[in-house]
Every structure is written in C-alpha cells, then in structure tokens.
C-alpha cells in the first residue's frame, strides 16, 4: 500500500475558538485509545488536522476503528511528500498508479494552506495533471465528475495527497463537553439517549435501579450488555447498580397507588443526583419522550423534576417511538432491549398512574416516610462495575 498516513478532518471542532486546543487534545486521546492495539503509529496534530503515520501498518482495521469516534468529520488515506513541485508531481503519479483502472477519469484538486507557495492552485492542478497524463495510459481528465479526485493539500511543513474519503461519526469528542450520569433501564429508549449524548461530546456513567428478587440477574445482565454496546463510542463506561427493592416496597406500602410511579421516579432522580455529585458529573440524562407514558407528561415532569436543580438532559424528548427504535437498531441496542426480562418499574407499575400528578400531593405523601435514610443506604450499597470496549461489527456506514 502506497498510502503512509491517515489524514483526519475535525469539522465542527475547528470552529470552537479558544476551546479548540482542548477539543483536539481530547480527540487525539480518544483516537489513541481505540488504536492501542496498533503499536508504532505516530500522531501529529496541526491547527485543523490530525495525521496518523501508519508506519507500515495496514489501514483497513484502523479505518474501521476510526468510524465510530465522535469529533471526526471525515478522514482519508494520504501520501506525504515535501512541499516541492517535483515531489508533488511524483507522489501524485505514484498514488494514482496504485488506484486507477483502465479508462478511469481523474481530476486534481489542489488546496493551498500555505498561501505563500509560488504556484497557485490552477497552476498546480495543471502541472500535476499534466505529469500524470504524460506518464500513464488509459486515463482521461474529467473536472466535473471524475472517478478519482486526487486532492493535494499543500502546507508549509509538508504536502498530503489524498483520495477516498471516509465519512466520520461527526459530533464532538467524548469528554470534551464534561460528564453526565445516564439513568439506564433495560428499555429501548435510555441507551439511545446515551448514544446521542455521547455524540455531543459528553462522557457518561450509567445508573441502574435494580430490585431483586422482583427483577432477575438476567435483567441486570441486560443493562451490562447494553452498556457494552455503547462502549464502541467511548472506550469504557462505569455502571452503578443501585439496590432499589426496599424503597419500592416502601412506596407501595405508603404512597397511594396512583402516585407510586411519580414517587418512584422522584426517588430515582434523588439517588442519581447523589451519585452524580460523588462522581463529579454535571448533569443527569434520561430516555424520556414527551407523552410516551404517564410519567412523561409535562405535569409529571414538574412533579418529578422538583427534587433536583441539576440539569436533566432528555435527548429523546421530541422523538417518536419509531424514530427512537430506528437509532436503537442502528447502534445495536434494540435486540438487547427487547429481551423479555422485566425491569423494576414494570413490576411495580400501578394500573392507572396519574398523568397529571400534583407536586403538593406527592410531597405530602412522601413526608410521612423517612426516605432520606433509605436513599443513603441505597447509595451506600451501590455496586460499581467498569465495562470495557469490545470489538464490534456494527455497520457504522449506515449510521452516520
Ligand atoms: P426506557 O425505554 O429507557 O426504559 P421507557 O419509555 O420505558 O424508557 P420509563 O420506563 O417510563 O420509559 O422510564 C423513563 C426513563 O427513566 C428511562 O428512559 C430511564 O432513563 C429511567 N429509568 C426507568 N427505569 C429505570 C431503571 N430501572 N434504572 C435506571 N433508570 C431507569
Ligand atoms: Mg422502561
């Protein structure tokens, strides 16, 4: 293989002003993390590009691993040469010789980051194109719709010749926008909410409420498996498993049935907020979608959200179920979410939960119980596991 580099374009990051350096550093770390198995790669960062020197390694595996990395707009295989016209001509010829098939058309598109370069882009396109035509057979020029678009990026330090762009995952590098805690059930919605938040550069940790013996080990395993799917986008994820049985039983015994769902959600949010603070995260995330179920009306949100002033991110709030399912299928979580094991809410779901609960009422019902002590115990007994990234065979192409 003649290409010795991968050239990575940042897209959205380039526009982020003073934060840019931080963003690019985070992206470089994230890329290095997914490529730890590939020894000998060299990384170089410039203002608006990141280069990976392949050092003789095959590009295919590396390209696959770059596809789910958020913050990459696109990337290309590249051949590096000195910023000297003769060298550019020679390298472009070598690159195209490796690529073309009989009767292919091509064009040369030069871009000068170095505006001081003596030849302008038209002159360079002409010089390089002519050199290719003279030294090859069965190639024609087509400036409108070429089979091969050979791009020549001229920079002060070096010139990179590229073709074949891969689409990147877009978004922002995970970790560049801080950290938040995702309330992860075993359902379809919350993993999708996690994926969308990761895409905006937010690192996540999971919080799962677990109610044995009402919910089984297999329900817990489902949550760990869902987490594993999401590690493809961020390396590793911490999962906090909170024992929730005592609180759910207490709610069932003390709070009127039609308010039990509201109360359950309030307790979840309170506990999640304590764990969030301990883990130094800035926000909570849920998979709620407006009007989907009784606990997801605006009135319910008023009554539930009252327990904390921490921002609660709800990436799915305006999405239809079908739109959510489509993403779940693409990111590989749907088939896990539809496994039949019950989660703690399904088991305790009242027959007719209030769709318009009143904050004063739920607060009064809860005031007869010392929930604070129970919340403290639940946090104390929370089990934390770390899920590491696994090789995946997702069809990232169709996703982005
Ligand atoms: P999901 O598909 O994510 O379960 P849902 O449409 O079933 O969502 P609910 O069951 O009402 O909706 O849950 C709303 C949100 O509350 C979930 O998206 C999730 O963020 C959180 N949640 C519900 N149950 C749990 C749980 N056992 N552990 C952690 N979070 C939960
Ligand atoms: Mg659910």
């Amino acid at each position: 293989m003649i290409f010795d580099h991968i050239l990575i374009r940042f897209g959205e990051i380039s526009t982020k002003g003073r934060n840019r350096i931080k963003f690019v550093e985070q992206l470089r770390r994230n890329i290095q993390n997914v490529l730890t198995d590939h020894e000998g790669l060299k990384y170089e960062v410039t203002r608006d590009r990141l280069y990976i020197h392949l050092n003789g390694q095959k590009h295919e595996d590396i390209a696959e691993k770059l596809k789910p990395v958020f913050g990459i707009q696109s990337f290309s295989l590249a051949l590096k040469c000195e910023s000297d016209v003769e060298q550019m001509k020679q390298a472009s010829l070598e690159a195209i010789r490796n690529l073309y098939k009989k009767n292919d058309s091509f064009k040369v598109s030069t871009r000068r980051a170095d505006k001081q370069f003596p030849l302008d882009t038209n002159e360079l396109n002409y010089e390089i194109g002519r050199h290719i035509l003279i030294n090859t057979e069965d190639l024609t020029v087509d400036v409108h719709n070429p089979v091969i678009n050979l791009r020549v990026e001229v920079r002060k330090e070096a010139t990179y010749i590229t073709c074949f762009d891969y689409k990147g995952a877009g978004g922002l590098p995970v970790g560049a926008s801080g950290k938040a805690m995702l309330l992860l059930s075993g359902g379809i919605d919350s993993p999708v909410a996690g994926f969308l938040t990761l895409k905006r550069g937010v690192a996540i940790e999971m919080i799962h409420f677990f109610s044995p013996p009402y919910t089984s080990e297999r329900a817990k395993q489902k949550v760990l498996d869902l987490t594993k799917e999401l590690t493809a986008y961020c390396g590793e994820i911490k999962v906090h498993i909170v024992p929730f049985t005592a609180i759910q039983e207490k709610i069932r015994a003390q709070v009127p049935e039609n308010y039990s769902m509201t109360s359950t959600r309030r307790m979840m949010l309170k506990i999640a907020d304590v764990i969030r603070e301990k883990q130094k995260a800035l926000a909570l995330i849920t998979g709620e979608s407006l009007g989907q179920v009784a606990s997801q009306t605006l009135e319910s949100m008023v009554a539930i959200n009252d327990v904390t002033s921490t921002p609660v991110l709800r990436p799915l709030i305006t999405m239809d179920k079908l739109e959510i399912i489509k993403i779940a299928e693409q990111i590989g979580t749907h088939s896990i979410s539809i496994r039949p094991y019950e989660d703690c809410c399904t088991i305790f779901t009242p027959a007719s939960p209030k769709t318009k609960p009143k904050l004063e009422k739920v607060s009064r019902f809860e005031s007869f119980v010392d929930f604070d002590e129970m919340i403290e115990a639940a946090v104390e007994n929370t089990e934390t596991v770390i899920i590491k990234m696994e090789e995946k065979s997702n069809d990232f192409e169709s996703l982005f």
Side-chain angles (χ1 to χ4, degrees):
M1 186 57 179
I2 187 158
F3 294 101
D4 51 7
H5 282 73
I6 292 181
L7 176 159
I8 295 173
R9 302 176 188 85
F10 314 145
E12 202 170 342
I13 307 182
S14 342
T15 63
K16 291 282 173 187
R18 276 186 299 140
N19 278 335
R20 195 178 41 80
I21 295 172
K22 198 180 120 208
F23 279 49
V24 174
E25 254 326 295
Q26 184 73 51
L27 179 61
R28 183 237 229 350
R29 271 201 297 277
N30 295 355
I31 289 175
Q32 281 180 314
N33 276 344
V34 296
L35 297 178
T36 41
D37 291 348
H38 300 261
E39 276 171 34
L41 299 176
K42 287 215 193 78
Y43 299 85
E44 191 193 333
V45 179
T46 64
R47 220 196 79 82
D48 56 353
R49 296 280 188 265
L50 195 153
Y51 302 95
I52 303 176
H53 187 340
L54 292 171
N55 249 331
Q57 298 207 38
K58 281 198 180 152
H59 70 272
E60 288 90 347
D61 284 358
I62 295 173
E64 269 324 291
K65 289 182 184 160
L66 291 176
K67 282 180 190 171
V69 177
F70 291 127
I72 298 180
Q73 200 62 30
S74 67
F75 59 98
S76 311
L77 301 180
L79 179 60
K80 185 179 182 181
C81 68
E82 281 176 33
S83 290
D84 159 87
V85 182
E86 284 313 311
Q87 295 229 19
M88 288 179 204
K89 280 158 64 173
Q90 206 45 40
S92 300
L93 178 61
E94 279 175 47
I96 213 153
R97 270 192 177 142
N98 256 268
L99 292 171
Y100 85 100
K101 291 186 287 305
K102 207 173 165 181
N103 299 328
D104 273 354
S105 56
F106 81 102
K107 97 177 202 193
V108 178
S109 315
T110 306
R111 185 170 163 265
R112 292 187 320 162
D114 172 16
K115 301 288 180 218
Q116 253 86 62
F117 196 81
L119 301 192
D120 69 18
T121 50
N122 285 334
E123 289 165 333
L124 279 169
N125 288 345
Y126 177 77
E127 285 293 325
I128 296 169
R130 201 170 75 103
H131 186 70
I132 291 172
L133 275 177
I134 293 172
N135 292 288
T136 50
E137 282 168 17
D138 313 316
L139 260 178
T140 52
V141 173
D142 181 348
V143 290
H144 301 297
N145 201 12
V147 177
I148 300 170
N149 183 6
L150 201 71
R151 298 211 267 180
V152 181
E153 279 202 22
V154 184
R155 296 172 170 263
K156 262 208 170 61
E157 53 303 344
T159 289
Y160 292 86
I161 294 153
T162 72
C163 51
F164 288 143
D165 293 343
Y166 294 82
K167 198 159 186 277
L172 302 172
V174 174
S177 314
K179 183 170 77 176
M181 311 299 280
L182 171 66
L183 281 77
L184 181 68
S185 67
I188 293 170
D189 303 336
S190 36
V192 175
F195 166 77
L196 292 174
T197 315
L198 284 167
K199 188 168 184 197
R200 294 311 298 165
V202 180
I204 58 173
E205 291 185 17
M206 311 304 201
I207 298 178
H208 176 66
F209 296 92
F210 179 53
S211 299
Y214 304 103
T215 57
S216 65
E217 278 299 313
R218 285 191 295 187
K220 184 158 110 186
Q221 188 57 44
K222 194 172 158 183
V223 165
L224 300 179
D225 291 348
L226 285 170
T227 302
K228 187 141 228 162
E229 286 300 313
L230 291 180
T231 57
Y233 307 96
C234 55
E236 61 176 41
I237 303 180
K238 265 190 202 168
V239 185
H240 306 276
I241 297 168
V242 185
F244 201 49
T245 317
I247 292 177
Q248 284 205 291
E249 286 175 338
K250 198 70 171 178
I251 292 171
R252 183 155 69 177
Q254 301 283 335
V255 176
E257 195 189 329
N258 56 359
Y259 267 86
S260 65
M261 178 60 92
T262 314
S263 218
T264 305
R265 293 282 181 240
R266 284 162 58 90
M267 294 306 147
M268 281 185 176
L269 215 51
K270 271 193 190 185
I271 294 171
D273 206 26
V274 177
I275 299 175
R276 174 202 63 78
E277 203 172 352
K278 278 184 150 187
Q279 299 298 320
K280 302 188 172 59
L282 295 173
L284 301 169
I285 313 158
T286 73
E288 289 164 300
S289 156
L290 197 59
Q292 202 184 79
V293 289
S295 59
Q296 297 176 19
T297 61
L298 286 180
E299 289 83 355
S300 279
M301 280 180 203
V302 170
I304 295 166
N305 220 155
D306 182 66
V307 300
T308 175
S309 59
T310 300
V312 179
L313 311 182
R314 299 179 175 93
L316 312 183
I317 199 71
T318 61
M319 282 190 177
D320 293 346
K321 194 75 187 184
L322 288 179
E323 294 173 294
I324 300 169
I325 288 175
K326 192 168 165 211
I327 302 176
E329 284 171 345
Q330 285 170 334
I331 62 174
T333 54
H334 185 259
S335 56
I336 303 171
S337 294
I338 58 175
R339 286 183 204 159
Y341 317 118
E342 62 306 316
D343 104 20
C344 64
C345 300
T346 356
I347 290 186
F348 286 87
T349 302
S352 51
K354 271 251 177 266
T355 54
K356 296 185 178 179
K358 297 268 179 303
L359 178 57
E360 317 76 70
K361 280 199 178 177
V362 71
S363 309
R364 192 161 54 79
F365 297 141
E366 287 170 9
S367 68
F368 302 113
V369 185
D370 186 2
F371 278 113
D372 287 348
E373 206 172 290
M374 300 184 85
I375 288 172
E376 228 170 84
V379 172
E380 186 101 327
N381 293 311
T382 292
E383 179 200 352
T384 300
V385 288
I386 295 177
I387 305 290
K388 295 214 183 295
M389 184 172 73
E390 187 177 68
E391 298 278 326
K392 293 187 38 164
S393 55
N394 264 359
D395 180 7
F396 293 115
E397 230 100 8
S398 69
L399 187 55
F400 305 115

